[in-house]
Amino acid sequence: MKSLSILFIDDDEIERLKFKKVCNEFNAKNTILEAENGKKALALVNEKNATFDLIISDLNMPVMDGFQFLAELKKNSSLKRIPIVIISSLDDKETIEQCYDLGISSYFNKSEEFSKHKSNLLSILDYWQKVVL
């Protein structure tokens, strides 16, 4: 199983802890970096010179939200091909379409029920471990 370099962006520390817990249970030796907003995430992406295999991001964050982060990331030709999965509590059609227009790979709704949230995260990890070369 290939290990992935993942950037996980969410202002909620609990969400970041849940993601790390699911990754540990998934038993992959993924490298995970975290950011609590789009501005810090953009700095990490630029610092790491676009070596991330996958970015997973929330939309509602302070300083720079997920929409602003996506727009900035997609402006850079060397960064715009990084796959991005959105996990958000926003579930209206307009928001989802806006994210796809900004070039995301997939969109998941955050579930209040941990087992459903865990299932979504596991499916994301499983899929991208198989797809990323």
Side-chain angles (χ1 to χ4, degrees), residues 3-99:
S3 65
L4 300 173
S5 176
I6 302 170
L7 175 58
F8 188 82
I9 313 164
D10 199 308
D11 62 315
D12 187 339
E13 185 176 2
I14 304 273
E15 291 298 324
R16 294 191 309 268
L17 289 170
K18 284 191 236 179
F19 181 70
K20 286 191 285 191
K21 177 180 170 57
V22 170
C23 284
N24 287 337
E25 290 178 18
F26 189 66
N27 246 354
K29 301 205 180 321
N30 296 322
T31 302
I32 302 164
L33 290 178
E34 303 172 5
E36 57 268 10
N37 62 58
K39 185 176 181 178
K40 288 186 178 184
L42 210 50
L44 279 172
V45 169
N46 287 320
E47 175 185 315
K48 294 293 180 183
N49 202 21
T51 59
F52 291 104
D53 297 310
L54 177 64
I55 296 174
I56 301 173
S57 181
D58 187 18
L59 292 175
N60 292 324
M61 297 177 286
V63 183
M64 179 186 277
D65 66 24
F67 296 108
Q68 295 165 316
F69 170 75
L70 284 169
E72 287 300 313
L73 187 78
K74 296 301 181 174
K75 285 180 187 177
N76 185 321
S77 62
S78 65
L79 303 176
K80 69 181 182 181
R81 290 195 182 4
I82 300 172
I84 300 172
V85 174
I86 298 295
I87 301 179
S88 177
S89 56
L90 300 174
D91 65 354
D92 60 284
K93 182 180 178 184
E94 182 179 303
T95 296
I96 295 168
E97 286 177 352
Q98 183 180 359
C99 287

